[in-house]
């Protein structure tokens, strides 16, 4: 997408810079994303990252951590720490235990309790240097509102950028996605004093797009997300035959269509032989009617494809642990968190050969072109075979691999906060 030119002389724009502060500043973590997603009982990848930041900073820097948010009803301010802790506990319980099985009444009570207890309070003037840490794209579209929040905080802004996909691959975005994401990225360019990119691929896309737009490129650090400690799977695998797992929202860029066509071919050529199942976990997204039609109407697929939708994390962990492999044929990703999470759980991965996946999995997964249908078919058949040599080879690579971890990410993020504070 050609960068949108917004009002104002971008080349001459310089963000307001509060005075230099100590290398251990106060950190205000913005929780707008989690609060805005309070109606949803299962998380997106961005949701997981924001909650992990909250939990990790509470453990590693509690004495200098505060929370803030732009409330769904519009007000910005500080969130009471005790209410935030209760909210984090309730959110994790919904994700881990309840998932898509949440009853309407329980969801409504959680919504009302969260919105009431997390009504923003007055921002207390800083007694030392302050960093406003924004780890989601929420509430960044309106540049004037971002500037107003920074003035109230008298803080330096650090943003985590997850991807530029609506701008680099606009055909995979919702209709208004490119316009909205362009405004977010220009807000970041004009107001952030530092940016954390979740991968080198994201950093390259971010700087390239800003340069093309004539916008300033803030101080930048690359910190791959990595995987947190995986949830522990309990009991036997959910089904007693080989299966492959595809994880993520069912949207065009995830390339579910490739897998469904492959499974239809496998079913038609099976001649009564058992074929592995394909398990899809993730909600239905947008502009993907051909995939939805196959899932709803294809008789050859019906015995072999299991669509689970949204499941709690403890159930997800069991499906990951028992899979012959995770399949990720995506056309584009910001980082590829499911790749890192599956490898951390000891499950092999077959992924599209894109930079984000290679950063997440390094030399461990089998990588294939997103459109190489024969290659994907052969890999699936190889991995489904009893005592599969190809699968065993990946497990051997995994056993000695050094992969990105969540602790690595936080170490780099905290170091970068210090760098931005002292600059």
């Amino acid at each position: 997408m050609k960068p949108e030119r917004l009002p104002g002389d971008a080349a001459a724009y310089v963000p307001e810079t509060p005075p230099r502060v100590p290398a251990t500043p106060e950190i205000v973590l913005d929780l707008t994303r989690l609060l805005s997603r309070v109606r949803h009982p299962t998380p997106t990848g961005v949701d997981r990252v924001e909650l992990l930041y909250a939990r990790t900073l509470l453990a590693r820097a509690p004495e200098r951590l505060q929370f803030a948010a732009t409330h769904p009803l519009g007000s910005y301010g500080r969130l009471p720490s005790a209410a935030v802790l209760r909210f984090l506990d309730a959110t994790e319980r919904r994700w881990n235990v309840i998932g898509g099985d949440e009853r309407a009444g329980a969801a409504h009570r959680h919504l009302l309790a969260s919105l009431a207890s997390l009504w923003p309070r007055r921002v207390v003037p800083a007694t030392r240097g302050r960093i406003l840490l924004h780890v989601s794209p929420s509430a960044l579209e309106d540049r004037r509102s971002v500037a107003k929040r920074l003035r109230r905080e008298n803080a330096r802004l650090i943003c985590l950028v997850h991807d530029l996909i609506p701008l680099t691959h606009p055909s995979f975005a919702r209709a208004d996605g490119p316009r909205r994401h362009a405004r977010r990225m220009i807000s970041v360019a004009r107001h952030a004093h530092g940016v954390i990119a979740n991968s080198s691929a994201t950093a390259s896309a971010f700087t390239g797009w800003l340069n093309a737009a004539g916008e300033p490129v803030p101080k930048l650090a690359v910190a791959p997300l990595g995987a947190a400690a995986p949830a522990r799977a309990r009991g036997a695998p959910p089904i007693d035959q080989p299966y492959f797992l595809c994880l993520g929202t069912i949207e065009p860029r995830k390339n579910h269509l490739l897998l469904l066509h492959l499974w239809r071919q496998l079913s038609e050529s099976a001649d009564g032989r058992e074929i592995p199942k394909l398990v899809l976990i993730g909600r239905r997204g947008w502009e993907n009617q051909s995939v939805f039609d196959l899932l709803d109407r294809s008789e050859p697929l019906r015995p072999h494809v299991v669509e689970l939708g949204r499941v709690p994390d403890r159930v997800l962990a069991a499906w990951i642990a028992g899979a012959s492999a995770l399949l990720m044929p995506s056309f584009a990703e910001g980082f590829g968190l499911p790749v890192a999470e599956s490898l951390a759980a000891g499950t092999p991965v077959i992924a599209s050969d894109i930079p984000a996946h290679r950063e997440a999995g390094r030399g461990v997964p089998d990588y294939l072109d997103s459109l190489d249908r024969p290659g994907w078919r052969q890999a699936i058949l190889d991995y489904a075979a009893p005592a599969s040599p190809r699968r065993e080879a990946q497990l051997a690579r995994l056993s000695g691999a050094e992969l990105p971890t969540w602790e690595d990410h936080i170490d780099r993020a905290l170091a970068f906060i210090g760098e931005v504070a002292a600059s």
Side-chain angles (χ1 to χ4, degrees):
M1 175 186 175
K2 184 177 180 181
E4 178 185 7
R5 299 296 303 176
L6 297 180
D9 183 2
Y13 186 86
V14 178
E16 296 180 17
T17 302
R20 184 179 299 176
V21 299
T24 55
E26 191 176 84
I27 301 171
V28 179
L29 178 62
D30 189 288
L31 296 182
T32 297
R33 172 77 178 198
L34 286 178
L35 190 52
S36 71
R37 297 265 308 165
V38 70
R39 295 184 297 106
H40 300 273
T42 56
T44 66
V46 176
D47 300 344
R48 290 186 188 280
V49 169
E50 192 163 282
L51 190 141
L52 276 170
Y53 258 92
R55 287 299 195 196
T56 310
L57 292 177
L58 279 166
R60 295 186 55 170
E63 73 287 347
R64 56 191 180 109
L65 179 64
Q66 296 186 56
F67 298 99
T70 299
H71 197 273
L73 297 181
S75 179
Y76 173 83
R78 196 67 75 246
L79 303 181
S81 294
V84 168
L85 291 175
R86 290 192 297 271
F87 173 68
L88 296 178
D89 289 343
T91 299
E92 286 183 322
R93 182 177 180 277
R94 295 173 85 211
W95 293 359
N96 292 334
V97 179
I98 302 171
D101 294 331
E102 186 173 50
R103 294 182 177 180
H108 188 65
R109 287 191 296 273
H110 176 70
L111 171 68
L112 294 180
S114 299
L115 295 182
S117 64
L118 295 174
W119 184 260
R121 274 62 166 177
R122 181 176 64 91
V123 174
V124 177
T127 57
R128 64 193 208 186
R130 180 175 288 175
I131 294 288
L132 179 58
L133 182 58
H134 222 293
V135 298
S136 85
S138 300
L140 290 177
E141 288 182 44
D142 187 334
R143 299 193 313 281
R144 292 182 179 178
S145 295
V146 174
K148 182 179 179 180
R149 295 198 297 269
L150 287 175
R151 287 194 297 271
R152 288 179 63 185
E153 296 280 4
N154 190 29
R156 298 184 178 202
L157 175 65
I158 294 178
C159 294
L160 172 61
V161 174
H162 292 264
D163 64 69
L164 274 287
I165 291 171
L167 304 175
T168 58
H169 298 76
S171 62
F172 294 139
R174 298 177 189 268
D176 63 343
R179 177 188 62 81
R180 296 182 63 186
H181 208 55
R183 292 185 177 278
R184 294 183 192 114
M185 293 303 98
I186 290 178
S187 285
V188 171
R190 296 189 181 185
H191 295 295
H193 300 85
V195 168
I196 301 170
N198 65 354
S199 67
S200 295
T202 296
S204 177
F206 178 68
T207 56
W209 192 85
L210 290 183
N211 285 332
E215 294 288 342
V217 178
K219 183 179 179 70
L220 184 63
V222 175
L225 289 177
R232 181 174 299 175
R234 299 179 181 177
I239 55 179
D240 60 358
Q241 70 179 88
Y243 66 88
F244 291 82
L245 177 65
C246 184
L247 177 61
T249 300
I250 302 176
E251 57 173 300
R253 73 176 173 91
K254 297 290 187 179
N255 200 15
H256 291 79
L257 193 61
L258 170 82
L259 300 179
L260 295 181
H261 283 316
L262 280 177
W263 251 264
R264 186 164 62 178
Q265 289 177 357
L266 291 174
S267 70
E268 291 170 350
S269 61
D271 292 329
R273 299 187 305 272
E274 183 178 77
I275 67 171
K277 286 191 180 292
L278 173 62
V279 178
L280 307 179
I281 294 182
R283 68 182 179 88
R284 294 193 178 193
W286 52 90
E287 297 180 8
N288 213 6
Q289 195 58 47
S290 58
V291 168
F292 303 152
D293 287 344
L294 281 171
L295 290 171
D296 294 336
R297 302 175 187 175
S298 174
E299 290 300 328
L301 288 178
R302 198 175 303 279
H304 309 295
V305 177
V306 180
E307 183 188 2
L308 295 178
R310 301 181 297 181
V311 302
D313 283 354
R314 67 178 183 180
V315 174
L316 173 61
W319 283 106
I320 291 175
S324 296
L326 175 78
L327 304 179
M328 290 291 291
S330 309
F331 291 110
E333 295 286 351
F335 175 68
L337 192 56
V339 172
E341 291 174 337
S342 293
L343 293 176
T347 297
V349 173
I350 306 171
S352 54
D353 193 1
I354 57 176
H357 280 164
R358 284 195 173 269
E359 287 189 63
R362 299 185 179 173
V364 177
D366 274 326
Y367 296 105
L368 298 165
D369 188 280
S370 299
L371 298 176
D372 181 9
R373 189 183 296 182
W376 281 89
R377 175 189 171 98
Q378 189 59 55
I380 289 162
L381 292 174
D382 288 347
Y383 272 71
S388 163
R390 192 169 177 181
R391 187 176 190 273
E392 290 300 320
Q394 183 172 157
L395 290 173
R397 295 194 298 272
L398 177 57
S399 67
E402 292 186 6
L403 297 170
T405 68
W406 178 253
E407 289 303 317
D408 294 337
H409 174 85
I410 286 293
D411 287 344
R412 182 66 189 103
L414 287 173
F416 186 63
I417 287 170
E419 294 168 18
V420 171
S423 64

